[in-house]
Amino acid sequence: GAGVSQSPRYKVAKRGQDVALRCDPISGHVSLFWYQQALGQGPEFLTYFQNEAQLDKSGLPSDRFFAERPEGSVSTLKIQRTQQEDSAVYLCASSSLPRGAGNQPQHFGDGTRLSIL
Amino acid sequence: KQEVTQIPAALSVPEGENLVLNCSFTDSAIYNLQWFRQDPGKGLTSLLLIQSSQREQTSGRLNASLDKSSGRSTLYIAASQPGDSATYLCAAGSYQLTFGKGTKLSVIP
């Protein structure tokens, strides 16, 4: 597709369940980012991939959060043993250049709205 | 740690008015400054990206400026239209963007 695609658009889970969120970046984009956006707040950085390598995971809030991009295209964000404070919109973005290679805008998907009951 | 602040939090203007949205950041050693638009229930749409070596960027009715010495950026919207109603976010950084909370703009017909 022409843009970043995320699925599912909405996810409701009970506290303690595991969830998996998918991101399809723009074809050929080297860089992939995950952000978490709480209600009424700006997005907060979670993790960064350059191709299949996870180069920065400094924003992941706990070891319950895990992200992967095994073939350098599609990425999955997994949250284990979900808690109510995990409720947020999870945004994925991609960019055509690797970090430090220049200035290219990040292109965002519409996000997955996660609600933990 | 970089902090980004946007003022005002909300703004309501009549159609046709010119307006300015403000963004301030604490660390002047930014790599670039990016402005986004977010519609309800949607992701972010990139509007303008200003590199740290630049002073401004223009796209149609939008003009964004960057003053690193004062830690400020502004987004100027000319001849506002109801379709401009959205939340506008600014973000500073290189690959790891730090966002403000946004300004919610309402343009009244």
Side-chain angles (χ1 to χ4, degrees), chain A residues 39-84:
Chain A
L39 189 63
Q41 305 294 314
E44 292 191 356
F45 171 83
L46 293 177
T47 188
Y48 166 72
F49 288 86
Q50 182 173 306
N51 296 309
E52 70 279 2
Q54 187 175 22
L55 299 185
D56 187 342
K57 52 183 180 179
S58 61
L60 295 177
S62 77
D63 59 7
R64 297 185 296 103
F65 286 71
F66 172 77
E68 60 182 3
R69 193 186 184 196
E71 298 180 356
S73 55
V74 172
S75 177
T76 303
L77 176 67
K78 298 179 180 179
I79 309 174
Q80 297 177 326
R81 305 180 304 281
T82 53
Q83 300 177 6
Q84 285 192 322

Short mmCIF file of all heavy atoms in Angstrom, two decimals, chain A residues 39-84:
data_model
loop_
_atom_site.label_atom_id
_atom_site.label_comp_id
_atom_site.label_asym_id
_atom_site.label_seq_id
_atom_site.Cartn_x
_atom_site.Cartn_y
_atom_site.Cartn_z
N LEU A 39 -4.24 9.34 26.06
CA LEU A 39 -5.31 10.29 25.76
C LEU A 39 -4.91 11.71 26.14
O LEU A 39 -4.46 11.97 27.26
CB LEU A 39 -6.57 9.88 26.52
CG LEU A 39 -7.86 10.63 26.15
CD1 LEU A 39 -8.24 10.36 24.70
CD2 LEU A 39 -9.00 10.24 27.08
N GLY A 40 -5.02 12.62 25.19
CA GLY A 40 -4.71 14.02 25.45
C GLY A 40 -3.24 14.36 25.49
O GLY A 40 -2.86 15.49 25.84
N GLN A 41 -2.40 13.42 25.14
CA GLN A 41 -0.94 13.62 25.18
C GLN A 41 -0.35 13.49 23.78
O GLN A 41 -0.99 12.97 22.87
CB GLN A 41 -0.29 12.60 26.11
CG GLN A 41 -0.84 12.57 27.52
CD GLN A 41 -0.54 13.83 28.27
OE1 GLN A 41 0.59 14.34 28.25
NE2 GLN A 41 -1.54 14.38 28.95
N GLY A 42 0.88 13.95 23.64
CA GLY A 42 1.60 13.69 22.41
C GLY A 42 2.17 12.28 22.43
O GLY A 42 2.29 11.66 23.49
N PRO A 43 2.52 11.74 21.27
CA PRO A 43 3.12 10.40 21.23
C PRO A 43 4.45 10.37 21.98
O PRO A 43 5.19 11.36 21.99
CB PRO A 43 3.33 10.16 19.74
CG PRO A 43 2.38 11.09 19.05
CD PRO A 43 2.30 12.29 19.93
N GLU A 44 4.76 9.23 22.56
CA GLU A 44 6.04 9.02 23.23
C GLU A 44 6.75 7.85 22.56
O GLU A 44 6.17 6.80 22.34
CB GLU A 44 5.85 8.76 24.72
CG GLU A 44 5.34 9.97 25.48
CD GLU A 44 5.41 9.79 26.98
OE1 GLU A 44 5.79 8.69 27.43
OE2 GLU A 44 5.09 10.75 27.70
N PHE A 45 8.02 8.06 22.30
CA PHE A 45 8.85 7.08 21.61
C PHE A 45 8.98 5.80 22.42
O PHE A 45 9.19 5.82 23.63
CB PHE A 45 10.24 7.68 21.37
CG PHE A 45 11.26 6.71 20.85
CD1 PHE A 45 11.33 6.41 19.50
CD2 PHE A 45 12.16 6.09 21.71
CE1 PHE A 45 12.29 5.51 19.02
CE2 PHE A 45 13.12 5.21 21.25
CZ PHE A 45 13.17 4.92 19.89
N LEU A 46 8.85 4.66 21.72
CA LEU A 46 9.05 3.37 22.36
C LEU A 46 10.33 2.68 21.88
O LEU A 46 11.19 2.33 22.67
CB LEU A 46 7.86 2.44 22.08
CG LEU A 46 6.51 2.84 22.70
CD1 LEU A 46 5.43 1.86 22.27
CD2 LEU A 46 6.61 2.90 24.22
N THR A 47 10.42 2.50 20.54
CA THR A 47 11.54 1.73 20.02
C THR A 47 11.77 2.05 18.55
O THR A 47 10.89 2.56 17.86
CB THR A 47 11.31 0.23 20.22
OG1 THR A 47 12.49 -0.49 19.87
CG2 THR A 47 10.14 -0.29 19.39
N TYR A 48 13.00 1.75 18.09
CA TYR A 48 13.41 2.06 16.71
C TYR A 48 14.10 0.87 16.08
O TYR A 48 14.96 0.22 16.69
CB TYR A 48 14.35 3.26 16.72
CG TYR A 48 15.09 3.46 15.40
CD1 TYR A 48 14.42 3.91 14.28
CD2 TYR A 48 16.45 3.17 15.30
CE1 TYR A 48 15.09 4.08 13.07
CE2 TYR A 48 17.13 3.34 14.10
CZ TYR A 48 16.46 3.79 12.99
OH TYR A 48 17.10 3.97 11.79
N PHE A 49 13.73 0.58 14.83
CA PHE A 49 14.37 -0.45 14.04
C PHE A 49 15.02 0.16 12.80
O PHE A 49 14.43 1.01 12.14
CB PHE A 49 13.35 -1.50 13.56
CG PHE A 49 12.84 -2.41 14.62
CD1 PHE A 49 11.76 -2.04 15.41
CD2 PHE A 49 13.43 -3.65 14.85
CE1 PHE A 49 11.28 -2.88 16.39
CE2 PHE A 49 12.96 -4.50 15.83
CZ PHE A 49 11.88 -4.11 16.60
N GLN A 50 16.19 -0.33 12.48
CA GLN A 50 16.82 -0.04 11.19
C GLN A 50 16.91 -1.38 10.49
O GLN A 50 17.69 -2.25 10.89
CB GLN A 50 18.19 0.58 11.37
CG GLN A 50 18.88 0.95 10.07
CD GLN A 50 20.18 1.71 10.32
OE1 GLN A 50 20.20 2.73 11.01
NE2 GLN A 50 21.28 1.21 9.79
N ASN A 51 16.10 -1.55 9.45
CA ASN A 51 15.90 -2.87 8.85
C ASN A 51 15.46 -3.85 9.93
O ASN A 51 14.52 -3.57 10.65
CB ASN A 51 17.15 -3.30 8.11
CG ASN A 51 17.49 -2.39 6.95
OD1 ASN A 51 16.63 -2.11 6.11
ND2 ASN A 51 18.73 -1.91 6.89
N GLU A 52 16.14 -4.95 10.11
CA GLU A 52 15.69 -5.92 11.11
C GLU A 52 16.32 -5.69 12.48
O GLU A 52 15.95 -6.34 13.45
CB GLU A 52 16.00 -7.35 10.63
CG GLU A 52 17.47 -7.72 10.61
CD GLU A 52 18.18 -7.20 9.36
OE1 GLU A 52 17.52 -6.52 8.54
OE2 GLU A 52 19.39 -7.47 9.23
N ALA A 53 17.25 -4.77 12.56
CA ALA A 53 17.97 -4.54 13.82
C ALA A 53 17.24 -3.54 14.71
O ALA A 53 16.92 -2.42 14.28
CB ALA A 53 19.38 -4.04 13.51
N GLN A 54 17.02 -3.93 15.94
CA GLN A 54 16.41 -3.02 16.93
C GLN A 54 17.53 -2.22 17.58
O GLN A 54 18.22 -2.73 18.47
CB GLN A 54 15.62 -3.82 17.96
CG GLN A 54 14.81 -2.95 18.91
CD GLN A 54 13.93 -3.78 19.86
OE1 GLN A 54 14.22 -4.96 20.11
NE2 GLN A 54 12.87 -3.19 20.40
N LEU A 55 17.70 -0.99 17.14
CA LEU A 55 18.84 -0.19 17.58
C LEU A 55 18.56 0.64 18.82
O LEU A 55 19.51 1.13 19.44
CB LEU A 55 19.31 0.72 16.44
CG LEU A 55 19.79 0.01 15.17
CD1 LEU A 55 20.35 1.02 14.18
CD2 LEU A 55 20.81 -1.07 15.49
N ASP A 56 17.31 0.82 19.15
CA ASP A 56 16.99 1.64 20.32
C ASP A 56 15.67 1.13 20.89
O ASP A 56 14.65 1.15 20.20
CB ASP A 56 16.88 3.12 19.93
CG ASP A 56 16.72 4.04 21.13
OD1 ASP A 56 16.35 3.56 22.22
OD2 ASP A 56 16.95 5.26 20.97
N LYS A 57 15.71 0.67 22.13
CA LYS A 57 14.48 0.27 22.81
C LYS A 57 14.36 0.98 24.14
O LYS A 57 13.71 0.48 25.06
CB LYS A 57 14.41 -1.24 22.97
CG LYS A 57 15.60 -1.90 23.61
CD LYS A 57 15.42 -3.42 23.65
CE LYS A 57 16.60 -4.12 24.29
NZ LYS A 57 16.41 -5.59 24.34
N SER A 58 14.95 2.16 24.20
CA SER A 58 15.02 2.89 25.46
C SER A 58 13.66 3.36 25.96
O SER A 58 13.51 3.64 27.15
CB SER A 58 15.95 4.10 25.30
OG SER A 58 15.45 4.98 24.31
N GLY A 59 12.67 3.46 25.07
CA GLY A 59 11.36 3.96 25.48
C GLY A 59 10.38 2.88 25.92
O GLY A 59 9.29 3.20 26.42
N LEU A 60 10.75 1.64 25.79
CA LEU A 60 9.83 0.57 26.21
C LEU A 60 9.65 0.66 27.72
O LEU A 60 10.63 0.64 28.47
CB LEU A 60 10.39 -0.80 25.81
CG LEU A 60 10.49 -1.06 24.31
CD1 LEU A 60 11.14 -2.41 24.04
CD2 LEU A 60 9.13 -0.97 23.64
N PRO A 61 8.40 0.74 28.20
CA PRO A 61 8.17 1.04 29.63
C PRO A 61 8.50 -0.11 30.58
O PRO A 61 8.76 0.15 31.76
CB PRO A 61 6.67 1.38 29.69
CG PRO A 61 6.08 0.80 28.46
CD PRO A 61 7.14 0.76 27.43
N SER A 62 8.50 -1.33 30.11
CA SER A 62 8.83 -2.46 30.98
C SER A 62 9.21 -3.65 30.12
O SER A 62 9.08 -3.62 28.89
CB SER A 62 7.64 -2.81 31.88
OG SER A 62 6.66 -3.53 31.14
N ASP A 63 9.68 -4.70 30.79
CA ASP A 63 10.06 -5.91 30.04
C ASP A 63 8.84 -6.70 29.57
O ASP A 63 8.98 -7.75 28.95
CB ASP A 63 10.99 -6.80 30.88
CG ASP A 63 10.37 -7.23 32.19
OD1 ASP A 63 9.17 -6.97 32.41
OD2 ASP A 63 11.10 -7.84 33.00
N ARG A 64 7.64 -6.19 29.84
CA ARG A 64 6.45 -6.83 29.28
C ARG A 64 6.26 -6.44 27.81
O ARG A 64 5.47 -7.05 27.10
CB ARG A 64 5.20 -6.42 30.08
CG ARG A 64 5.20 -6.87 31.53
CD ARG A 64 3.88 -6.54 32.22
NE ARG A 64 3.64 -5.11 32.30
CZ ARG A 64 2.79 -4.45 31.51
NH1 ARG A 64 2.08 -5.09 30.58
NH2 ARG A 64 2.63 -3.14 31.67
N PHE A 65 6.97 -5.40 27.39
CA PHE A 65 6.86 -4.91 26.01
C PHE A 65 8.02 -5.47 25.19
O PHE A 65 9.18 -5.39 25.59
CB PHE A 65 6.92 -3.38 25.99
CG PHE A 65 5.67 -2.70 26.48
CD1 PHE A 65 5.34 -2.72 27.83
CD2 PHE A 65 4.83 -2.04 25.60
CE1 PHE A 65 4.19 -2.10 28.29
CE2 PHE A 65 3.68 -1.41 26.05
CZ PHE A 65 3.36 -1.44 27.40
N PHE A 66 7.65 -6.01 24.03
CA PHE A 66 8.64 -6.63 23.15
C PHE A 66 8.28 -6.31 21.71
O PHE A 66 7.13 -6.39 21.31
CB PHE A 66 8.65 -8.14 23.38
CG PHE A 66 9.49 -8.91 22.41
CD1 PHE A 66 10.87 -8.94 22.54
CD2 PHE A 66 8.91 -9.61 21.37
CE1 PHE A 66 11.65 -9.65 21.66
CE2 PHE A 66 9.68 -10.32 20.47
CZ PHE A 66 11.05 -10.34 20.61
N ALA A 67 9.27 -5.92 20.90
CA ALA A 67 9.01 -5.62 19.50
C ALA A 67 10.00 -6.37 18.63
O ALA A 67 11.14 -6.62 19.03
CB ALA A 67 9.11 -4.12 19.23
N GLU A 68 9.55 -6.71 17.43
CA GLU A 68 10.43 -7.41 16.50
C GLU A 68 10.10 -7.00 15.07
O GLU A 68 8.99 -6.56 14.76
CB GLU A 68 10.29 -8.93 16.66
CG GLU A 68 8.90 -9.47 16.40
CD GLU A 68 8.81 -10.97 16.64
OE1 GLU A 68 9.80 -11.59 17.05
OE2 GLU A 68 7.71 -11.53 16.39
N ARG A 69 11.10 -7.19 14.21
CA ARG A 69 10.95 -6.89 12.78
C ARG A 69 11.88 -7.87 12.04
O ARG A 69 12.88 -7.50 11.46
CB ARG A 69 11.37 -5.45 12.50
CG ARG A 69 10.96 -4.92 11.12
CD ARG A 69 11.53 -3.54 10.87
NE ARG A 69 11.06 -3.01 9.60
CZ ARG A 69 11.63 -1.97 8.98
NH1 ARG A 69 12.69 -1.37 9.52
NH2 ARG A 69 11.14 -1.52 7.84
N PRO A 70 11.54 -9.14 12.07
CA PRO A 70 12.49 -10.21 11.70
C PRO A 70 13.01 -10.15 10.26
O PRO A 70 14.14 -10.57 10.02
CB PRO A 70 11.68 -11.49 11.95
CG PRO A 70 10.26 -11.06 11.97
CD PRO A 70 10.23 -9.66 12.49
N GLU A 71 12.23 -9.65 9.32
CA GLU A 71 12.67 -9.63 7.92
C GLU A 71 12.87 -8.20 7.42
O GLU A 71 13.01 -7.98 6.21
CB GLU A 71 11.67 -10.39 7.05
CG GLU A 71 11.57 -11.86 7.43
CD GLU A 71 10.58 -12.62 6.56
OE1 GLU A 71 9.92 -11.98 5.71
OE2 GLU A 71 10.45 -13.85 6.75
N GLY A 72 12.87 -7.28 8.34
CA GLY A 72 13.14 -5.90 7.95
C GLY A 72 11.98 -5.19 7.28
O GLY A 72 12.17 -4.11 6.71
N SER A 73 10.78 -5.76 7.37
CA SER A 73 9.61 -5.06 6.82
C SER A 73 8.54 -4.97 7.89
O SER A 73 8.57 -4.05 8.68
CB SER A 73 9.10 -5.75 5.55
OG SER A 73 8.82 -7.11 5.80
N VAL A 74 7.63 -5.94 7.95
CA VAL A 74 6.56 -5.94 8.95
C VAL A 74 7.14 -6.02 10.37
O VAL A 74 8.12 -6.71 10.62
CB VAL A 74 5.61 -7.13 8.70
CG1 VAL A 74 4.61 -7.27 9.83
CG2 VAL A 74 4.90 -6.95 7.37
N SER A 75 6.50 -5.28 11.27
CA SER A 75 6.92 -5.30 12.67
C SER A 75 5.73 -5.65 13.56
O SER A 75 4.58 -5.35 13.23
CB SER A 75 7.47 -3.93 13.08
OG SER A 75 7.81 -3.91 14.46
N THR A 76 6.02 -6.29 14.68
CA THR A 76 5.01 -6.63 15.67
C THR A 76 5.44 -6.10 17.02
O THR A 76 6.58 -6.29 17.44
CB THR A 76 4.80 -8.14 15.75
OG1 THR A 76 4.45 -8.65 14.46
CG2 THR A 76 3.68 -8.47 16.73
N LEU A 77 4.51 -5.44 17.70
CA LEU A 77 4.71 -5.01 19.08
C LEU A 77 3.86 -5.92 19.96
O LEU A 77 2.64 -6.02 19.76
CB LEU A 77 4.29 -3.55 19.26
CG LEU A 77 4.36 -2.99 20.69
CD1 LEU A 77 5.80 -2.91 21.17
CD2 LEU A 77 3.70 -1.61 20.77
N LYS A 78 4.50 -6.58 20.88
CA LYS A 78 3.81 -7.51 21.76
C LYS A 78 3.84 -6.98 23.19
O LYS A 78 4.87 -6.51 23.66
CB LYS A 78 4.46 -8.89 21.69
CG LYS A 78 4.39 -9.53 20.30
CD LYS A 78 5.07 -10.90 20.27
CE LYS A 78 4.99 -11.50 18.86
NZ LYS A 78 5.67 -12.83 18.79
N ILE A 79 2.71 -7.08 23.85
CA ILE A 79 2.62 -6.69 25.25
C ILE A 79 2.12 -7.91 26.03
O ILE A 79 1.05 -8.45 25.74
CB ILE A 79 1.66 -5.50 25.47
CG1 ILE A 79 2.01 -4.35 24.51
CG2 ILE A 79 1.72 -5.03 26.92
CD1 ILE A 79 1.01 -3.20 24.57
N GLN A 80 2.91 -8.32 26.98
CA GLN A 80 2.55 -9.50 27.78
C GLN A 80 1.91 -9.05 29.09
O GLN A 80 2.21 -7.99 29.63
CB GLN A 80 3.81 -10.32 28.08
CG GLN A 80 4.48 -10.88 26.82
CD GLN A 80 5.76 -11.62 27.14
OE1 GLN A 80 6.49 -11.26 28.07
NE2 GLN A 80 6.05 -12.66 26.38
N ARG A 81 1.01 -9.90 29.59
CA ARG A 81 0.37 -9.66 30.90
C ARG A 81 -0.10 -8.21 31.01
O ARG A 81 0.30 -7.45 31.88
CB ARG A 81 1.34 -9.99 32.03
CG ARG A 81 1.90 -11.41 31.95
CD ARG A 81 2.85 -11.71 33.10
NE ARG A 81 3.96 -10.77 33.19
CZ ARG A 81 5.04 -10.80 32.42
NH1 ARG A 81 5.16 -11.75 31.50
NH2 ARG A 81 6.01 -9.91 32.57
N THR A 82 -0.98 -7.82 30.08
CA THR A 82 -1.40 -6.43 29.97
C THR A 82 -1.98 -5.90 31.28
O THR A 82 -2.60 -6.63 32.06
CB THR A 82 -2.44 -6.25 28.86
OG1 THR A 82 -3.52 -7.18 29.07
CG2 THR A 82 -1.82 -6.46 27.50
N GLN A 83 -1.77 -4.59 31.49
CA GLN A 83 -2.28 -3.88 32.65
C GLN A 83 -3.10 -2.69 32.15
O GLN A 83 -2.94 -2.25 31.02
CB GLN A 83 -1.13 -3.44 33.55
CG GLN A 83 -0.30 -4.60 34.06
CD GLN A 83 0.89 -4.16 34.90
OE1 GLN A 83 1.06 -2.99 35.20
NE2 GLN A 83 1.72 -5.13 35.29
N GLN A 84 -3.93 -2.14 33.04
CA GLN A 84 -4.81 -1.05 32.62
C GLN A 84 -4.03 0.16 32.12
O GLN A 84 -4.47 0.85 31.19
CB GLN A 84 -5.74 -0.66 33.76
CG GLN A 84 -6.87 -1.65 33.98
CD GLN A 84 -7.95 -1.13 34.90
OE1 GLN A 84 -7.66 -0.43 35.87
NE2 GLN A 84 -9.19 -1.47 34.61
#
